[in-house]
Amino acid sequence: MNRFLPLTVTTLTAIAITGCAAERPSLSDASLPVIQHIHGIVADPRGEDLFVATHGGILTLAPDGEMSGPIAGEDLDAMGFTLRGETFFASGHPGTQTPSELGAPNLGIIRSDDFGETWSPVSLTGSADFHVLTAGPDGTLYGLASSNADLLVSTDDGRNWFSGAALSAVDLAATEEGIYAAAEQGLLRSSDRGATFAAVEGAPLLYSLAPQPDGTIAGIGTDDALWVQAADGAWERRATLSGAAQAFTITDDGRFIVADERGIVEITPETTTIIAPSQ
């Protein structure tokens, strides 16, 4: 996994816009997946596996640490990646095996209804590169595109997008309470589908966000710590990471999954377990 330099407020934006310029290995170069950079992690709703969106495709990580993929041999660079129900939505750049109809040099918005076995174009094909994608509980999609300063919002499965507030943010997370944004000025929240945002008082400075099962928020701070919001809005510093996080998610049963310099790590209130060590 790539390693980041120590974080400061002024480097917050650089985390999200760092490009993936590493040379892609051929799919036949090695028998095991090579992780060049992780863009996102989501839990497989069918069981205990994790889906890991990387520079070279979507990988599957089993609880015992076995990594496989990329799924279907598709090595697209999934810069933006989210799971809504049983549908993947992704954005980024084509790989060496990507069908031309998905777009180049940017994928726009693509979707898979069979957990990555096949993909189809949805919108902005060839033109847009979303570095952040997330889905709200009501099905609304929110995104941050590399060429657009506004939050982008879609209420029709990504076919059409409208602009929300101008937003200098590096990550998003949606709950029943609204859409949260990790920005240089702090954690922001919108209760009107991103039209306007207000500061979340007392929140630490975060650069990676994920919704908790109870509707509150957790995030990774610029102090390399996992911060968890309680039901009353208070924040608890839960764990210290090893360097900066590349990706962060929370499973439905409340496990925190983070990719940092150690590898892909599971954090619970009782234990910290490295599921897949850094290569």
Side-chain angles (χ1 to χ4, degrees), residues 5 33 39 42 82 88 92 104 125 142 188 201 204 208 212 220 240 253 258 263-264 273 276:
L5 294 174
H39 300 305
V42 300
T82 193
F88 287 162
T125 303
Y142 300 92
L188 308 177
E201 297 296 331
S208 188
Q212 298 192 83
I220 308 300
T240 300
D253 58 357
V258 62
I264 298 177
T273 305

Side-chain angles (χ1 to χ4, degrees), residues 92-279:
H93 312 288
T96 60
Q97 309 299 313
T98 304
S100 59
E101 61 265 24
L102 294 185
N106 299 316
L107 295 173
I109 299 296
I110 60 175
R111 70 180 285 166
S112 173
D113 296 302
D114 52 14
F115 293 100
E117 293 294 332
T118 60
W119 293 87
S120 58
V122 177
S123 65
L124 305 172
T125 303
S127 63
D129 168 23
F130 286 69
H131 284 196
V132 177
L133 279 175
T134 196
D138 63 353
T140 301
L141 294 175
Y142 300 92
L144 299 172
S146 60
S147 60
N148 196 312
D150 297 338
L151 174 71
L152 297 177
V153 183
S154 174
T155 57
D156 61 357
D157 296 336
R159 292 186 293 273
N160 295 284
W161 295 83
F162 62 88
S163 293
L167 196 63
S168 177
V170 293
D171 201 13
L172 303 169
T175 75
E176 295 286 357
E177 298 299 317
I179 178 73
Y180 290 82
E184 289 196 359
Q185 64 266 46
L187 183 64
L188 308 177
R189 184 176 69 86
S190 171
S191 57
D192 55 10
R193 281 185 169 170
T196 60
F197 281 85
V200 177
E201 297 296 331
L205 186 61
L206 306 172
Y207 64 88
S208 188
L209 304 174
Q212 298 192 83
D214 66 357
T216 56
I217 287 289
I220 308 300
T222 55
D223 56 353
D224 292 337
L226 168 62
W227 288 90
V228 179
Q229 185 187 40
D232 63 0
W235 291 86
E236 176 189 353
R237 194 179 193 274
R238 185 69 59 85
T240 300
L241 276 59
S242 179
Q246 292 186 30
F248 172 56
T249 194
I250 304 173
T251 64
D252 287 341
D253 58 357
R255 292 174 294 129
F256 301 97
I257 308 293
V258 62
D260 65 11
E261 291 184 349
R262 295 167 292 184
I264 298 177
V265 181
E266 176 187 286
I267 300 171
T268 70
E270 295 80 24
T271 61
T272 296
T273 305
I274 298 175
I275 306 173
S278 179
Q279 298 175 354

